[in-house]
Amino acid sequence: MQPGIDIGPAVDQAQLDTVLDYIEIGKKEAGAPASGGNRLNGDGHAKGYFVEPTIFADVTKTCAIAQEEFSDRCWP
């Protein structure tokens, strides 16, 4: 998170839930994220569906987060 860099929110609660679910799957399969992985609640984000950009470092080809494209599941 850097000043001047903006990220958009998830479209709605369902999309936010999907993203957070996959972050939890990633944690179980690949360990803690190297960066991010949390819902943003402060600094004007509390009323939106914001999640920190998330990077997993120890992902293998058998991990669901490597095999499944879940961004398309986020849209209604």
Side-chain angles (χ1 to χ4, degrees), residues 54-66:
T54 305
I55 299 171
F56 285 93
D58 296 322
V59 178
T60 66
K61 63 182 178 181
T62 61
C63 293
I65 61 172

Side-chain angles (χ1 to χ4, degrees), residues 12-36:
D12 57 19
Q13 185 67 48
Q15 181 184 19
L16 176 68
D17 292 343
T18 298
V19 170
L20 294 174
D21 287 347
Y22 269 92
I23 290 172
E24 288 305 311
I25 291 168
K27 288 177 181 178
K28 290 176 186 171
E29 294 180 338
S35 179

Side-chain angles (χ1 to χ4, degrees), residues 38-76:
N38 300 301
R39 181 171 183 183
L40 295 173
N41 292 318
D43 298 329
H45 295 107
K47 293 184 180 180
Y49 305 108
F50 294 90
V51 178
E52 293 175 316
T54 305
I55 299 171
F56 285 93
D58 296 322
V59 178
T60 66
K61 63 182 178 181
T62 61
C63 293
I65 61 172
Q67 293 182 8
E68 300 177 21
E69 184 171 341
F70 59 91
S71 61
D72 63 335
R73 294 183 188 189
C74 297
W75 301 100

